Amino acid sequence: MNPKIIKDPVHGYVEVDAAILPLLDSPAIQRLRYVRQLGFSFLVYPGASHSRFEHSVGTMHLAGVACRQFGLANEDRLLILVSALLHDVGHGPFSHASEPLMESWLGRTHDDIAGIVNTRFSSPLKQIGVAPEDVCAVVKGNHPLSGIIHGDLDVDRMDYLLRDAYYTGAPYGTVDAHRLIRNIHLTEEGVVLDENGINAAESLLIARTLMRPTVYYHHVSRIGECMFQLAMLGHGADLSGADRERLCMLDDAECMHELRNSPDPRARDLAARLYERRLYKRAVYAGQDQVNAAVFQTGWPLERTREVAAEIARAAGCRADDILVDIPPVPGDMSLEVQVKNRHDPMGFAEISPRLGTLNQTRREQWRLGVYTLPELRDAVAEAAAEVLHIKKPTRQGTLF
């Protein structure tokens, strides 16, 4: 049987092996057509309505390019292609926006796909000679070949940077994926980068750094996510574990329909606001120089932020539901644990690229603590939040950001 050809706006014509078609056409993969890749970024960038399905197909395509470059045996190639296609099958509605709820309610993340793979893909995987447990290990990062999809220079990251930049129109996600793949080698010691690929690797790091505040952590996207999470908390408060599992496996439209018709008035109101783009506004948006950064290094879980929201609400004289507290983890340092192959002795990437330290410092400076509320409550909430969270007034330079 001939391979299926898919026209992709990012990579051009993508071939899908005939053996993989039953997986591609499965309900669990087709569901990803209706899960937005960037959650609520479409509230900022109207073009950002691309889906997890597109990204999964694109990741599979780049994984195929990498497999050919590395000369993998056919059985290993098939394992990597399947793992690339299935790597995001565990995402909930609006992608990463539902991740904290999955962690709190279900005790898992979107990378924990064993339950889905074993119940929905076990038979078709065995028919093509791919072990379900190997797919789960690759996706989770626990397989010798995981680095192709789950590593420092992985095809998952290459595709989403290119794709997200294309659909948002943000000119920062440029990555020369093919040049980077052509200059990567798999050895017994791990991944080795040819010195001709240094610039391509640096472009990936620069793209990650610039896309973070512009797209992934844009304040409007974060406000949308926080409003969605509060709506889900209200709607799911009295649900059973099985119903919460079902809720986290809906697609975007099904989930919004359920929230807009929720018996919980808070969930209905927040869902309506999201649908009509009547969003909360920033009362506080503070960088590390305004807070005791050590307290927030690992970020605060959803339950803790709701406790703080209630404390701020008491001080501001409003309802806890009128306040959203957003404390993401401070970005960790990017590191490329790869050796660079040159005409002399192999060297670590950080020894050759002085830009790495600068980019990591930039990422730390991009971090923001957000407190959001209704427009008419901004002043009162800002004052109360500053007291509760011990936030200093911004410096003149800080106001530029």
Side-chain angles (χ1 to χ4, degrees):
M1 184 185 297
N2 292 329
K4 186 180 184 67
I5 305 297
I6 297 175
K7 184 65 169 74
D8 179 68
V10 175
H11 302 302
Y13 290 101
V14 172
E15 290 189 2
V16 183
D17 278 24
I20 296 177
L21 284 179
L23 304 176
L24 182 73
D25 292 334
S26 67
I29 291 295
Q30 291 298 313
R31 166 186 168 270
L32 298 181
R33 289 182 183 272
Y34 312 106
V35 177
R36 283 186 174 93
Q37 168 81 4
L38 288 179
F40 290 93
S41 291
F42 69 96
L43 296 173
V44 187
Y45 301 101
S49 58
H50 55 302
S51 69
R52 285 281 156 186
F53 177 83
E54 298 165 58
H55 166 60
S56 298
V57 170
T59 302
M60 180 183 65
H61 168 71
L62 290 180
V65 175
C67 289
R68 289 192 294 273
Q69 167 68 21
F70 302 149
L72 296 186
N74 188 60
E75 59 185 27
D76 287 336
R77 182 187 70 89
L78 201 54
L79 169 62
I80 293 303
L81 291 179
V82 167
S83 301
L85 180 63
L86 300 186
H87 82 282
D88 272 349
V89 75
H91 266 295
F94 297 98
S95 293
H96 288 286
S98 55
E99 193 89 352
L101 296 154
M102 293 172 64
E103 292 183 38
S104 176
W105 289 347
L106 311 179
R108 64 175 175 84
T109 67
H110 75 275
D111 290 330
D112 299 312
I113 63 171
I116 297 172
V117 169
N118 291 330
T119 57
R120 302 191 185 188
F121 294 102
S122 182
S123 178
L125 285 175
K126 290 176 180 176
Q127 288 176 13
I128 60 174
V130 175
E133 59 270 21
D134 286 344
V135 173
C136 298
V138 170
V139 172
K140 195 65 178 172
N142 300 324
H143 189 278
L145 296 175
S146 285
I148 298 174
I149 296 172
H150 191 290
D152 292 322
L153 296 173
D154 61 72
V155 295
D156 174 23
R157 185 172 286 127
M158 293 179 204
D159 181 83
Y160 77 63
L161 287 169
L162 287 167
R163 194 168 301 278
D164 296 346
Y166 176 87
Y167 280 101
T168 60
Y172 308 116
T174 303
V175 178
D176 193 343
H178 287 265
R179 182 173 180 83
L180 188 51
I181 291 171
R182 283 198 301 270
N183 285 285
I184 296 174
H185 310 278
L186 284 182
T187 69
E188 293 182 358
E189 290 75 30
V191 175
V192 174
L193 177 69
D194 190 270
E195 64 179 343
N196 292 328
I198 291 174
N199 288 342
E202 288 180 332
S203 77
L204 184 143
L205 299 176
I206 292 169
R208 285 178 62 186
T209 301
L210 296 180
M211 289 287 280
R212 184 180 176 87
T214 310
V215 177
Y216 304 129
Y217 279 81
H218 190 285
H219 70 274
V220 173
S221 300
R222 298 295 295 180
I223 289 170
E225 289 185 18
C226 291
M227 291 175 67
F228 170 74
Q229 290 161 4
L230 184 55
M232 289 281 277
L233 284 175
H235 181 70
D238 297 323
L239 294 182
S240 65
D243 283 337
R244 286 178 173 179
E245 176 78 41
R246 180 192 62 81
L247 185 62
C248 287
M249 284 294 99
L250 297 177
D251 62 38
D252 295 359
E254 291 172 329
C255 186
M256 282 298 291
H257 176 78
E258 190 147 328
L259 292 179
R260 294 185 73 189
N261 292 279
S262 173
D264 181 74
R266 170 178 59 176
R268 289 199 307 272
D269 176 66
L270 287 165
R273 284 180 169 274
L274 283 170
Y275 194 79
E276 298 164 8
R277 206 184 183 280
R278 293 184 289 112
L279 306 177
Y280 284 37
K281 302 298 181 182
R282 288 180 289 181
V284 169
Y285 207 52
Q288 289 197 69
D289 60 329
Q290 296 174 247
V291 298
N292 179 4
V295 177
F296 305 116
Q297 284 295 312
T298 58
W300 284 9
L302 202 52
E303 294 82 2
R304 175 67 176 133
T305 60
R306 292 316 305 156
E307 292 172 359
V308 174
E311 190 175 348
I312 295 171
R314 285 192 292 271
C318 62
R319 302 178 308 159
D321 293 349
D322 295 333
I323 296 173
L324 304 168
V325 177
D326 178 26
I327 306 179
V330 175
D333 284 352
M334 294 185 295
S335 62
L336 289 185
E337 301 299 328
V338 299
Q339 292 290 304
V340 178
K341 176 185 175 184
N342 58 23
R343 287 168 291 181
H344 308 290
D345 294 331
M347 301 178 66
F349 186 84
E351 297 177 73
I352 291 179
S353 175
R355 296 177 181 85
L356 191 58
T358 302
L359 292 173
N360 283 326
Q361 178 62 29
T362 300
R363 282 163 58 87
R364 288 189 289 272
E365 292 170 357
Q366 291 169 346
W367 179 87
R368 292 294 183 272
L369 176 156
V371 179
Y372 318 124
T373 189
L374 300 174
E376 61 272 20
L377 298 175
R378 290 173 76 174
D379 291 342
V381 169
E383 185 176 342
E387 181 179 341
V388 170
L389 293 170
H390 309 292
I391 299 171
K392 296 181 290 186
K393 290 184 178 181
T395 62
R396 186 174 183 82
Q397 182 181 8
T399 60
L400 295 175
F401 300 93

